[in-house]
Amino acid sequence: MPGEAERIERIASLARRSSDDLILGIGDDAAIIRKNDTHWWLISTDSQIENVHFRRDYTPPRMLGHKALAVNLSDLAAMGGTPRFALLSLNLPKDIEQSFVDEILVGMVALADQYSTILVGGDIAASGNGLAMTITIIGECPAGRALRRDGAKLGDLIFATGRLGLAAIGLQLLQRGHRYDPALPIHLQQLILAHLQPTPRLEIGQRLAERNLATSLIDISDGLSTDLYHICQASGVGAIVYAEDIPVATHVPEEVNTTALENALNGGEDYELLFTVPRGRVAQIESLRAQFNDLPITLIGEITSEPGRMYLERAGERTPLRPRGHDHLRQEE
Amino acid sequence: MPGEAERIERIASLARRSSDDLILGIGDDAAIIRKNDTHWWLISTDSQIENVHFRRDYTPPRMLGHKALAVNLSDLAAMGGTPRFALLSLNLPKDIEQSFVDEILVGMVALADQYSTILVGGDIAASGNGLAMTITIIGECPAGRALRRDGAKLGDLIFATGRLGLAAIGLQLLQRGHRYDPALPIHLQQLILAHLQPTPRLEIGQRLAERNLATSLIDISDGLSTDLYHICQASGVGAIVYAEDIPVATHVPEEVNTTALENALNGGEDYELLFTVPRGRVAQIESLRAQFNDLPITLIGEITSEPGRMYLERAGERTPLRPRGHDHLRQEE
């Protein structure tokens, strides 16, 4: 089965059309539509599907509602946008309890309220098999300020927010039978919550866009290696990543048989931001750090000239870095 | 399992919020958001799910792509809107051929092009079980001109476009083993195509809105009895429907063991428009008929004062008419 990128390219080649008020169509984290002279709309959609993205047995329904919206908010964060409205399409299997559905909504609306986002419509249908939620998110940004994947330039420095790989490690713990429990040791709880209840990085995305600090921006939904590759492909550049500088999990439980670095590179679902900054503006990242003092903003590499070529530098040695992040479609083979 | 209306009300009660530029939230065919001083955005979402809305064995993939978009365009028609942009969320099962997916897109884009609608984004994910497509449609209308469900008034006359019940009869033929075939007798083909390839009534919806002809408007997706009930509920009125005047199928194949009238009242998926017109403006419906001479526009009843009470009048006798149209959720019990 072809991977997601190939399928999207195929659809884009069939469906690409232009229009006066369409600024950007298929291919980035969100489409851009002109709202008025001062603002643009940003629109994106993303699904959470049972037994593909989550299992009901290890997912508290409030956290599921939170996450279904959070992954969409993250797509707006990845453009520097501010969310405004959401639509929810809910496919309900026969065996689902009404209380489970209510809790999903409570979790979703709590996160929506946090970002003044209003659920304005949707659709409910029976599902042949399994629970599925598709959310469409509508946000806005000042005209001309959206941050895309395609602006990275030779010499730009690469930054990431937060710590990477935690969500993938948390998922492995859940798959091994661990469950979310407020009484868990803090280091396990943090890993599990990274998977179940990700935080969309909206504020920092907005600051990057407002101050014109980044030349490209994406959210890390598929894993650092794959999302950096998306930037490289779209921008026609390459990249070097310094392995020692990647902010990885500080604790990997023994039962997880992958390293912190492997999870950071290829794990997926971190929903942190990855962005490139021209060297001349790097000093301004300091003032950003001062504003977000709980959130690491880490220099992890730089943009090179060879299109699509990525390297990992470790102990002074460079090895090719391939996009090996999460792809639900390709994994099905 | 509670029905769709009850579930939507539950979500609306949890999620209802107000905002300066939100004109109408959950509950109608589309949400309304202020675009600028002269125009409003209309936004809606709708899914087609395998083995709930369609079966792959009887659905040619081009028609499936057409229908997935058509049901969304119909939601805009039901507000008097003009479509502009669409997003597609595609959940793909393991066993699906690439050529099947390509054909879906070809059918979808052909219909989109017909209405100058551009596919601007979406999401592709693996599906645990079965093909599912969720489309979000974005359209617009002149500010103040959207037609809603809640404006029907005592004494208004009720009109429907097209013929009702054909899609439900066509579905029964498909379930009985008939297949779409250009060589079929025309009366069978028409029934099957009514189900597989519905026509969204965008132009007439737009004319009704522009000329301020209708006090309420809805598309008949769930069946006349249920969609008329939606208008009655939202408007706080009742209705009488004249059974003999309903434009039903002229031919019902013997193997279908329901009548043309039953299918028209409760069948669902016709995607015709149902609207109410003040008596003083009924003369203007004539000029509309002249413009749409292939499409019947039929007077089928009138609005009464008792909230939520509907009657069917046949041979001079009135019997209660209950909303017995299609509800995938309720049917699951």
Side-chain angles (χ1 to χ4, degrees):
Chain A
M1 204 170 189
E4 187 176 0
E6 195 183 325
R7 286 185 183 275
I8 291 173
E9 191 36 56
R10 218 168 158 117
I11 293 178
S13 71
L14 272 168
R16 196 168 280 129
R17 303 285 184 277
S18 66
S19 150
D20 275 357
D21 46 8
L22 178 62
I23 313 278
L24 181 68
I26 296 170
D28 213 305
D29 289 295
I32 308 177
I33 293 169
R34 195 185 313 279
K35 180 185 180 186
N36 52 38
D37 288 347
T38 61
H39 283 81
W40 287 351
W41 288 115
L42 302 168
I43 306 183
S44 182
T45 188
D46 220 334
S47 297
Q48 289 286 306
I49 301 166
E50 186 170 352
N51 299 332
V52 175
H53 300 91
F54 67 91
R55 274 179 21 209
R56 243 189 285 168
D57 60 354
Y58 63 60
T59 311
R62 279 195 196 205
M63 292 186 185
L64 185 54
H66 171 104
K67 184 167 179 178
L69 181 60
V71 302
N72 278 279
L73 294 174
S74 183
D75 279 324
L76 292 188
M79 307 289 288
T82 301
R84 299 296 316 281
F85 305 106
L87 289 94
L88 167 66
S89 178
L90 201 51
N91 302 342
L92 297 178
K94 281 189 217 186
D95 64 339
I96 204 159
E97 300 277 341
Q98 180 61 46
S99 61
F100 194 95
V101 180
D102 286 349
E103 287 287 292
I104 288 175
L105 263 295
V106 167
M108 193 176 289
V109 171
L111 181 63
D113 282 344
Q114 201 179 323
Y115 292 104
S116 305
T117 300
I118 307 180
L119 188 65
V120 296
D123 167 54
I124 308 177
S127 158
N129 245 300
L131 172 63
M133 289 162 288
T134 299
I135 289 182
T136 297
I137 191 88
I138 301 166
E140 58 183 30
C141 71
R145 288 294 185 174
L147 290 172
R148 300 159 54 152
R149 300 177 176 185
D150 61 4
K153 299 272 183 303
L154 172 64
D156 286 354
L157 298 178
I158 304 167
F159 288 83
T161 64
R163 294 199 162 271
L164 306 181
L166 276 66
I169 297 169
L171 172 60
Q172 288 164 76
L173 291 174
L174 290 165
Q175 287 168 339
R176 277 167 172 76
H178 290 271
R179 293 294 175 263
Y180 171 72
D181 179 348
L184 277 181
I186 187 76
H187 64 276
L188 290 180
Q189 192 166 308
Q190 198 181 22
L191 294 166
I192 286 175
L193 283 177
H195 177 78
L196 292 177
Q197 199 171 257
T199 303
R201 301 298 186 195
L202 284 156
E203 296 86 351
I204 189 162
Q206 289 157 14
R207 291 304 92 71
L208 289 171
E210 274 164 19
R211 300 183 193 172
N212 210 10
L213 277 181
T215 49
S216 72
L217 173 60
I218 196 170
D219 67 328
I220 303 180
S221 53
D222 300 328
L224 174 59
S225 65
T226 292
D227 288 308
L228 180 57
Y229 188 69
H230 290 322
I231 285 183
C232 288
Q233 287 279 82
S235 302
V237 296
I240 296 173
V241 176
Y242 308 117
E244 284 94 347
D245 295 340
I246 301 173
V248 301
T250 49
H251 175 88
V252 183
E254 231 168 77
E255 61 196 298
V256 171
N257 48 27
T258 44
T259 66
L261 181 63
E262 283 164 352
N263 280 291
L265 288 173
N266 305 323
E269 298 212 88
D270 286 315
Y271 300 104
E272 295 294 347
L273 296 185
L274 179 68
F275 55 97
T276 56
V277 178
R279 279 164 196 268
R281 293 196 193 132
V282 164
Q284 295 176 54
I285 295 295
E286 274 314 311
S287 73
L288 209 62
R289 280 202 183 101
Q291 270 179 53
F292 293 91
N293 45 26
D294 284 344
L295 183 68
I297 301 174
T298 312
L299 172 61
I300 61 166
E302 58 190 286
I303 294 297
T304 60
S305 60
E306 275 182 293
R309 293 274 171 181
M310 304 192 301
Y311 296 92
L312 189 69
E313 189 168 305
R314 187 162 23 174
E317 205 175 300
R318 284 184 190 180
T319 53
L321 175 65
R322 300 223 162 71
R324 292 232 169 91
H326 206 61
D327 187 330
H328 287 300
L329 291 168
R330 200 182 298 276
Q331 280 191 342
E332 294 251 319
E333 282 174 86
Chain B
M1 207 171 186
E4 188 177 357
E6 195 183 324
R7 283 185 184 275
I8 291 173
E9 191 36 58
R10 217 169 159 117
I11 293 178
S13 72
L14 270 169
R16 196 169 280 129
R17 302 287 184 276
S18 66
S19 148
D20 275 357
D21 47 7
L22 177 63
I23 314 277
L24 181 68
I26 295 170
D28 213 303
D29 289 295
I32 308 176
I33 294 169
R34 194 184 314 280
K35 180 186 180 187
N36 53 39
D37 289 346
T38 62
H39 283 81
W40 287 352
W41 288 115
L42 302 167
I43 306 183
S44 182
T45 187
D46 220 335
S47 298
Q48 290 285 306
I49 300 166
E50 186 170 353
N51 299 331
V52 175
H53 300 93
F54 67 91
R55 273 178 22 208
R56 245 189 284 169
D57 60 353
Y58 63 60
T59 311
R62 278 193 199 208
M63 293 186 184
L64 185 55
H66 171 105
K67 184 167 179 177
L69 181 60
V71 303
N72 278 279
L73 293 174
S74 183
D75 279 325
L76 292 188
M79 306 289 289
T82 301
R84 299 295 317 281
F85 305 106
L87 289 94
L88 167 66
S89 177
L90 201 52
N91 303 341
L92 298 177
K94 281 189 217 188
D95 65 338
I96 204 158
E97 299 278 338
Q98 181 62 45
S99 60
F100 194 95
V101 180
D102 286 348
E103 287 287 291
I104 288 175
L105 265 294
V106 167
M108 192 176 288
V109 170
L111 181 63
D113 282 342
Q114 200 179 323
Y115 293 105
S116 306
T117 301
I118 307 179
L119 188 65
V120 296
D123 166 54
I124 308 178
S127 157
N129 245 300
L131 173 63
M133 288 161 289
T134 299
I135 288 182
T136 298
I137 190 87
I138 301 166
E140 58 182 30
C141 71
R145 289 293 187 177
L147 290 171
R148 299 159 52 152
R149 302 177 174 185
D150 61 3
K153 299 272 183 302
L154 172 64
D156 286 353
L157 298 178
I158 304 168
F159 288 83
T161 64
R163 294 196 165 273
L164 306 182
L166 276 68
I169 298 169
L171 173 60
Q172 287 163 75
L173 291 173
L174 290 165
Q175 286 169 338
R176 277 167 173 74
H178 291 270
R179 292 293 174 265
Y180 170 72
D181 178 351
L184 276 181
I186 186 77
H187 64 277
L188 290 182
Q189 193 167 307
Q190 200 180 22
L191 294 166
I192 286 175
L193 283 178
H195 176 78
L196 291 177
Q197 200 173 254
T199 303
R201 301 299 186 193
L202 283 157
E203 296 87 351
I204 189 161
Q206 289 158 14
R207 293 301 93 71
L208 289 170
E210 274 164 20
R211 299 182 193 174
N212 209 8
L213 276 181
T215 48
S216 72
L217 174 61
I218 195 169
D219 67 327
I220 304 180
S221 53
D222 300 329
L224 175 59
S225 65
T226 292
D227 288 309
L228 180 56
Y229 188 70
H230 289 323
I231 285 183
C232 289
Q233 286 278 85
S235 302
V237 297
I240 295 173
V241 176
Y242 308 117
E244 285 94 346
D245 295 339
I246 300 173
V248 300
T250 51
H251 174 87
V252 182
E254 233 168 74
E255 63 196 293
V256 171
N257 49 26
T258 44
T259 67
L261 182 63
E262 283 165 350
N263 280 291
L265 288 173
N266 305 323
E269 297 213 90
D270 287 314
Y271 300 105
E272 295 293 347
L273 295 186
L274 179 69
F275 55 97
T276 55
V277 179
R279 281 165 196 268
R281 294 197 193 132
V282 165
Q284 295 176 56
I285 296 294
E286 273 317 310
S287 73
L288 208 61
R289 281 203 182 98
Q291 269 178 52
F292 293 90
N293 45 27
D294 285 342
L295 183 69
I297 301 174
T298 312
L299 172 60
I300 60 167
E302 58 191 284
I303 294 297
T304 61
S305 60
E306 273 182 296
R309 292 272 172 181
M310 306 192 299
Y311 295 92
L312 189 70
E313 188 167 305
R314 184 158 32 172
E317 205 175 297
R318 283 184 191 180
T319 51
L321 175 64
R322 299 221 163 72
R324 291 231 170 90
H326 207 62
D327 187 330
H328 287 298
L329 291 169
R330 202 180 297 277
Q331 280 189 345
E332 295 249 319
E333 283 175 87

